[in-house]
Amino acid sequence: MTLDTKKSAFVKLGEFLNQFKDENCIKDETVSGNDLFFEKFIDLIQLSQSHNGWYTPEQVHFAIASWAEALTEDNLTKWLSEYDFSAVKPKNAALILAGNIPLVGFHDFLSVLLTGHNVLIKTSSNDQHLLPFLVNYLIAAEPDLKNKITFVEGKLENFDAVIATGSNNTARYFEYYFKDKPSIIRKNRNSIAVLNGEETKEQLVALGEDIFRYFGLGCRNVSKLFVPKDYSFEPFFEAIFEYQDVIHYEKYANNYDYNKAVFLMSNFKLLDNGFLTLKEDSSYSSPISSVFYERYENLEDLQKRLEDESQQIQCIVSNNLVKNSIPFGVAQKPNLWDYADNVDTVLFLLTV
């Protein structure tokens, strides 16, 4: 299969997904495969929360919309134009996927196929339905893909490279188990925001999107704030008040109640607005329904610290206060060329 053939299949998938950007699901009669897949995908989206309580229709639609925006001819061409695919010899690349947010492993799946390799997929028990559905659509759009995609339920075998995503604990197991294979092993990372008190209300509202999207379960969700010594959190709490409905989701509310109780029993001082707690803490990884914060003396020292601790950080959100930061509100909208852990997945696959 040529690269253009595979790109064309993913562009068709993007056009299909574009119909499901929100709960209206407006059918486009020009999109191929609708007769077989349109109604079934609506049903799957509605069933997703029964498969995983965090996968509410709103969150699944958001994930779908993000991929619909990414899978265009222009985006795929821009992304892939930086690489030379001429020397690729097809091999078997295994993927061990996470399931914390919908379709979290789709970028790895896309990268393996577009670099010319075959993909062996071990899905997370938390996300076993969305990717197989999209694979069925892709095979209908381009039947030759069928021989390049395999879902594995048991032990992974006959693979030449692996990309595995998990916790710090599972990463140690992966590193030992796959020590003889080329690999990318992804561990826990968290995202942060750096504030200086001059942010507009609109920027702080956008920061709320970075915090609450996917209920804070993603590695690109902001879980830690760095603020000046004299920072007042009142504007922050006022801005994020529009996300108050998050507390009506039972799983989130249970986490809020539990984590708040644990903090209070430990006599930690908290800032609390009824659906989010702020706790002063030097750690990056905060529990669901809580965000840690830390006060800084000056941006220069903070910049050096963030560089020294970059292995713990996925992305940085700020109003251009520190290097390599991204704007508020786009943390969960990465481009195709924004690689997890800053590891170039395509370059890795091209050198397998």
Side-chain angles (χ1 to χ4, degrees):
M1 294 180 65
T2 67
L3 177 60
D4 285 343
T5 300
K6 287 176 286 189
K7 279 172 55 179
S8 176
F10 280 103
V11 170
K12 289 178 181 178
L13 177 61
E15 293 169 349
F16 174 76
L17 295 178
N18 196 55
Q19 303 169 111
F20 306 91
K21 291 190 298 184
D22 54 47
E23 295 185 13
N24 291 329
C25 298
I26 300 174
K27 192 172 188 179
D28 182 348
E29 298 297 341
T30 67
V31 171
S32 62
N34 271 345
D35 53 334
L36 290 175
F37 294 99
F38 186 87
E39 298 296 336
K40 290 180 181 178
F41 200 39
I42 291 177
D43 293 340
L44 178 57
I45 293 169
Q46 294 304 313
L47 284 171
S48 289
Q49 194 169 358
S50 67
H51 301 143
N52 182 332
W54 295 108
Y55 285 17
T56 65
E58 177 189 356
Q59 306 300 347
V60 175
H61 280 293
F62 182 89
I64 291 168
S66 298
W67 279 110
E69 293 171 13
L71 295 176
T72 67
E73 180 73 32
D74 288 346
N75 280 337
L76 289 167
T77 299
K78 179 179 179 180
W79 174 37
L80 300 175
S81 63
E82 301 294 320
Y83 304 96
D84 179 7
F85 296 86
S86 60
V88 174
K89 295 181 179 179
K91 295 184 178 180
N92 295 329
L95 301 180
I96 300 177
L97 303 183
N100 50 319
I101 65 176
L103 294 172
V104 67
F106 190 83
H107 191 277
D108 291 334
F109 166 77
L110 173 68
S111 299
V112 171
L113 287 180
L114 290 180
T115 50
H117 298 300
N118 307 313
V119 61
L120 309 177
I121 306 166
K122 196 169 184 63
T123 60
S124 165
S125 60
N126 292 322
D127 191 0
Q128 294 184 319
H129 303 277
L130 290 170
L131 182 57
F133 185 95
L134 300 190
V135 165
N136 286 337
Y137 181 90
L138 283 167
I139 291 172
E142 183 49 64
D144 286 345
L145 284 172
K146 183 176 183 179
N147 297 324
K148 299 188 72 64
I149 304 169
T150 304
F151 285 93
V152 179
E153 293 186 2
K155 183 180 178 181
L156 281 170
E157 296 178 323
N158 302 318
F159 59 92
D160 304 293
V162 63
I163 301 174
T165 303
S167 66
N168 289 344
N169 287 332
T170 57
R172 286 192 285 270
Y173 165 78
F174 290 152
E175 287 169 347
Y176 173 78
Y177 191 76
F178 301 122
K179 62 182 182 296
D180 298 325
K181 300 286 186 180
S183 64
I184 295 176
I185 308 296
R186 300 205 180 101
K187 305 176 183 178
N188 287 348
R189 289 204 183 205
N190 297 94
S191 297
I192 67 169
V194 179
L195 310 179
N196 66 356
E198 298 178 7
E199 291 78 20
T200 65
K201 181 178 181 180
E202 289 73 21
Q203 288 174 325
L204 293 176
V205 170
L207 173 58
E209 169 71 17
D210 297 328
I211 293 171
F212 294 105
R213 175 59 58 191
Y214 302 127
F215 302 105
L217 287 162
C219 64
R220 296 182 67 89
N221 284 106
V222 169
S223 59
K224 173 79 174 275
L225 306 177
F226 284 94
V227 299
K229 287 189 68 176
D230 59 350
Y231 185 81
S232 169
F233 282 100
E234 185 175 344
F236 169 79
F237 276 125
E238 288 179 357
I240 67 167
F241 188 71
E242 68 176 65
Y243 298 93
Q244 61 179 311
D245 286 349
V246 71
I247 200 65
H248 298 310
Y249 290 97
E250 182 179 5
K251 289 179 73 69
Y252 183 92
N254 289 343
N255 276 265
Y256 170 80
D257 291 337
Y258 173 80
N259 291 317
K260 181 179 176 180
V262 170
F263 289 153
L264 292 176
M265 285 190 295
S266 302
N267 293 319
F268 291 124
K269 293 181 180 180
L270 298 178
L271 299 173
D272 178 22
N273 69 348
F275 60 91
L276 180 75
T277 57
L278 292 181
K279 175 179 178 285
E280 191 164 10
D281 198 300
S282 61
S283 301
Y284 285 104
S285 180
S286 62
I288 299 301
S289 77
S290 182
V291 169
F292 291 162
Y293 72 92
E294 199 170 341
R295 299 184 185 273
Y296 62 85
E297 294 280 351
N298 61 75
L299 285 171
E300 290 75 17
D301 290 344
L302 177 60
Q303 177 75 59
K304 184 178 186 307
R305 175 182 166 184
L306 298 181
E307 291 172 357
D308 291 342
E309 299 177 352
S310 61
Q311 294 302 307
Q312 300 180 58
I313 300 170
Q314 189 64 258
C315 60
I316 303 172
V317 176
S318 83
N319 191 15
N320 203 30
L321 296 178
V322 292
K323 295 177 183 176
N324 302 317
S325 62
I326 60 176
F328 297 101
V330 299
Q332 288 294 356
K333 290 186 176 182
N335 293 305
L336 291 171
W337 44 90
D338 293 329
Y339 292 105
D341 300 359
N342 294 314
V343 176
D344 190 324
T345 315
V346 171
L347 188 60
F348 165 76
L349 290 164
L350 291 176
T351 56
V352 169

